[in-house]
Amino acid sequence: MKTKEITLTAVLIALLIVCSQLVVPIGPIPITLQTLAVLMMGYFLSPNSALLATSLYLLMGVAGLPVLAGFSGGFHVLLTPAFGFVIGFIPASYVQAKYLEKHSNLETKHLFISGFINFLFTYLIGLSYMAIILNIYLNNQMNFVQILMTGLIPFIPGDLIKLAVAVLLAKQILPVIQYRFSPSE
């Protein structure tokens, strides 16, 4: 791993930790800026570095460091409904970065498509985990529509705004990063 990739990985992990602390509690799944930071990881990091960054974030949280939403951390987070979304960040950022490896990461179309792919993985894993925790562990009897109303529908407008902001940031920052750090570094 090159210096640029190590530096970007560290900066983006720090960004994810900061974005995790900006919390609006609206139920078992809070509104945060985590998805914005995970999008940025997918835009700026290689697939393996994105995988590493999100995995380290998850491990730091489970190990007890207060890096997860609302300064939470510890083994107990495994049993919270929101933890599945943190698990989902790992494949989401990897697949997003992998997509951009094969397509132009400077084209707006591909930035949006990769962001939607990121959200798809995050929500598939997050909603499945949330349903298991709420219905089996916490013994709620939530049906499919209730799960969607709790963990997806309220987040769509904000996620679309975060995606637009992430694409705008990527369009501005990626050319600078690619110019300043040549492949020969």
Side-chain angles (χ1 to χ4, degrees), residues 42-56:
Y43 289 141
F44 296 129
L45 299 176
S46 70
N48 288 337
S49 292
L51 180 75
L52 175 67
T54 49
S55 297
L56 285 173

Side-chain angles (χ1 to χ4, degrees), residues 74-83 129 133-134 137-138:
F75 194 72
H76 71 280
V77 299
L78 294 170
L79 298 175
T80 62
F83 190 71
Y129 193 93
I133 295 298
L134 288 174
Y137 177 68
L138 297 175

Side-chain angles (χ1 to χ4, degrees), residues 152-167:
L152 174 67
I153 304 301
F155 300 93
I156 291 173
D159 282 345
L160 291 175
I161 292 168
K162 290 178 216 173
L163 178 58
V165 168
V167 167

Side-chain angles (χ1 to χ4, degrees), residues 45-107:
L45 299 176
S46 70
N48 288 337
S49 292
L51 180 75
L52 175 67
T54 49
S55 297
L56 285 173
Y57 172 73
L58 179 144
L59 291 173
M60 287 188 293
V62 172
L65 296 174
V67 297
L68 301 175
F71 296 102
S72 64
F75 194 72
H76 71 280
V77 299
L78 294 170
L79 298 175
T80 62
F83 190 71
F85 295 94
V86 176
I87 295 170
F89 294 159
I90 297 169
S93 63
Y94 176 83
V95 173
Q96 178 189 5
K98 198 72 170 164
Y99 175 90
L100 290 172
E101 214 175 45
K102 296 182 186 332
H103 300 86
S104 169
N105 66 353
L106 293 177
E107 283 186 53

Side-chain angles (χ1 to χ4, degrees), residues 12 15-22 29-43 54 57 69 82 84-86 88-89 92-93 96 114-116 118-123 126 151-152 155-167 169:
L12 289 167
L15 177 67
L16 178 55
I17 292 168
V18 170
C19 287
S20 298
Q21 308 322 317
L22 306 170
I29 310 300
I31 294 173
T32 70
L33 291 179
Q34 288 172 310
T35 48
L36 175 65
V38 174
L39 284 168
M40 302 311 288
M41 287 177 170
Y43 289 141
T54 49
Y57 172 73
F85 295 94
V86 176
F89 294 159
S93 63
Q96 178 189 5
S114 69
F116 283 116
N118 178 310
F119 287 157
L120 177 68
F121 277 84
T122 300
Y123 279 107
L152 174 67
F155 300 93
I156 291 173
D159 282 345
L160 291 175
I161 292 168
K162 290 178 216 173
L163 178 58
V165 168
V167 167
L169 289 171

